[in-house]
Amino acid sequence: MSSKNELPYISVMRIAYLIAIVFSIILGLASRKYSDLLPLFVAENAGDILWAMMVYFGFRFLLVRNSFLTSMWFSFLFSFGIELSQLYQGDWMNQIRHTMLGGLILGKGFLWVDLIRYSVGIMIGIVLDRVVRFLWSVK
C-alpha cells in the first residue's frame, strides 16, 4: 500500500517519463526523416539509440515504484528480444514488419550492431534518469 505522500511524487514521475517517451519518439522519427541532414554516424545510429531510450523510459513509466535496475533489465530483455525476433522471417511476421508501425516496433532484419545501439540507448536513458533525479533532489 502506498502512502498519501508518495502518490503526488509517483504521478509527477509518471508525467516526467511520459514526456521523456514522447520526446524520444519525436527525436527518433526526426532522425529517420531528416537523416540526410545529419552526420552519417548520427543518422546511422540515432534512431535505434533513441528507440531503446524510449523503451527504458516506458518501463520506468510502468514500473515507477521499482528500481531503475528492474527497468534496465526489462529494457534489455525487450530490446534484445525484438532484435532476435528478426531472425524469424515468416510471411505473416514480415507482413507486420512492412507496415509503418510494425517496422518501427519490430524492425526489419537482424543486425548485431543494433544490440550495441540498444545497449547505448538504455545506458543513456539510465544516466539521464539518474542525473535528473539527482538534480531534482538537490532543490
Side-chain angles (χ1 to χ4, degrees):
M1 199 80 155
S2 61
S3 70
K4 288 183 181 180
N5 292 337
E6 184 184 51
L7 289 177
Y9 175 76
I10 298 297
S11 297
V12 168
M13 291 309 300
R14 282 217 164 104
I15 291 168
Y17 288 125
L18 185 60
I19 291 168
I21 290 165
V22 170
F23 194 63
S24 299
I25 291 170
I26 291 169
L27 286 177
L29 291 173
S31 76
R32 305 278 177 158
K33 182 173 175 107
Y34 302 109
S35 62
D36 55 328
L37 301 175
L38 298 171
L40 183 61
F41 180 80
V42 174
E44 289 178 345
N45 297 292
D48 290 323
I49 289 170
L50 288 161
W51 183 86
M53 284 175 55
M54 185 240 359
V55 168
Y56 172 77
F57 293 133
F59 279 112
R60 291 302 293 143
F61 176 84
L62 295 172
L63 306 170
V64 71
R65 288 187 174 103
N66 296 77
S67 75
F68 76 94
L69 287 172
T70 302
S71 295
M72 178 190 77
W73 288 118
F74 276 118
S75 299
F76 275 111
L77 287 171
F78 181 82
S79 299
F80 281 38
I82 291 289
E83 189 65 26
L84 292 171
S85 77
Q86 293 172 26
L87 292 170
Y88 174 70
Q89 294 293 317
D91 288 337
W92 68 274
M93 183 66 95
N94 286 335
Q95 287 177 350
I96 295 170
R97 287 186 180 119
H98 282 78
T99 65
M100 187 178 93
L101 188 58
L104 288 171
I105 296 170
L106 300 174
K108 297 201 172 42
F110 177 82
L111 294 171
W112 284 104
V113 71
D114 284 350
L115 300 177
I116 296 169
R117 292 172 181 146
Y118 297 157
S119 298
V120 169
I122 292 166
M123 298 313 287
I124 290 171
I126 291 168
V127 168
L128 289 173
D129 188 9
R130 305 305 288 169
V131 167
V132 168
R133 282 174 168 253
F134 174 76
L135 292 175
W136 193 351
S137 69
V138 171
K139 275 178 132 182

